[in-house]
Amino acid sequence: MPMHMRLRVLAPLLLLPASLHSQSLRDQVRTWREAREPQIIREFAELLAIPNVASDSVNIWRNARHITGMLERRGVSARILENGKWPPAVYGELKTPGATRTIVLYAHYDGQPVDPGEWRGGAPWSAQLREQRGAEWVDIALPASGRLNPEARIFARGAGDDKAPIIAILNALDAINAAGRRPSINLKFFFEGEEEAGSAHLEELLQRNATLLKADAWLFCDGPAHASRELQVVFGVRGVMGLELTVFGPAKALHSGHYGNWAPNPGMLLADLVTSLRDVDGHILVRGFYDDVVPPSAAELAAIRALPPADAALKRDLLLGGTEAGDALLAERIMLPALNVRGMRVGQVEALASNAVPVEAKASIDFRLVPKQTPGRIRELVEAHLAKNGWFIAHAAPTDAERLAHRKVVRLAWEGGYEATRASMELPVATALTGALDEMLGKPVLRVPTLGGSLPTYLFSRTLGAPLVILPIANHDDNQHAKDENLRLQNLWDGIDVFAAVMTRMDAFWPRVTP
């Protein structure tokens, strides 16, 4: 090798403190990060400053181009995968000579819609660093250098869900490069722009790029860490589907004194409908709903029972005098399907209340599904249940004739849903990932069979066939999807640590493939 090329390869090592050369990976990464914390947060704030609602195509493309540039600055071969008029994905690839394994690191750069008036400061995409003092979060200036309070948080839409993993992944690359290391596996990067809008057009994008995206495994970097604040590896997610219901009363509002107890009240009809679907303990009353549910395996139950106790603290934080679970743990309950009433509306209350029988009542419901349950089958079961209970079901506005012919009329508007996925905790990629993380953390990473929320992982499994495992880094109390979304700095620092381990140490725990 020519001398100038040798010097170029050795340059990152020559710039390091002498003591760093003999440090462990964990110490090397943390030493590097501790010297650059303000710079990392500044780069994060620049990414957060770009609005990221999937329907805002101009800014979605700004995000995609910005992230592409961030990858390229790290020596990653990157490009935008266009998807017609729908949000694009950002793709990157970093090959390691001699590597026999390839993983894809997934995150999404789009975020939930916002109401700026609800946010403190009224600027959801203007990242603000804050420290908690007593019960208040106080704005603080970002210093030019020095260490930051690891309990401080950065507030902005997308801070926790899901731009944090992007920053952690890219800074992990910087850290291992500064330490004179390189990835031991081939890395691909896939950053989606439509996840918070339901990934409705993702499957087509995956199908067109199936060869490009071929890998031994996908590592999904989305969701929260455990409520104990410890990092967790998650092997599955619940599926999801939504339902909007409208129940009809009289054609016009009626005086409750003249017509009450005679004209059917849609509020009472709706309450009766909802309570026929599930009881107050969360048990779903629809016949056949649990028929396809596969019980947790012995390994999954053992993993749940090994998790740090967090339920009591959660109940205190949330002011819950009890739960729907009885003595069951939260982690056990999310292994089951669920029906959530996310909203109900009928008439008016307080100053706007009137003594009238309303014309209609509405409810919004979401179902969380477990493996083997499908949205189509759930729809069949729910509609059969309602019909058995005397409801006339319409899927469009009911006609006058239909309303006159039936006492109980409900309009159902089903949302598109997707299935649950759950990988075996004994897969080779699972062993490789948990082994690398155990080593980096200096203790066993938490193993969790399934996440309570939902991700479009089924699309990747169905289209690409590779196993998927989830490595979330955001704090569990990050206000995702809500006002004042935030990320605890220590969660970001932990993310840099674990992604550095993923890149450089998974191969040591993964059986070698003969070329």
Side-chain angles (χ1 to χ4, degrees), residues 277-311:
L277 293 174
R278 58 155 278 179
D279 63 23
V280 294
D281 293 324
H283 184 76
I284 298 168
L285 304 175
V286 175
R287 184 175 181 179
F289 198 92
Y290 295 95
D291 286 356
D292 296 326
V293 175
V294 179
S297 68
E300 289 169 339
L301 288 174
I304 288 172
R305 289 162 187 163
L307 295 174
D311 288 35

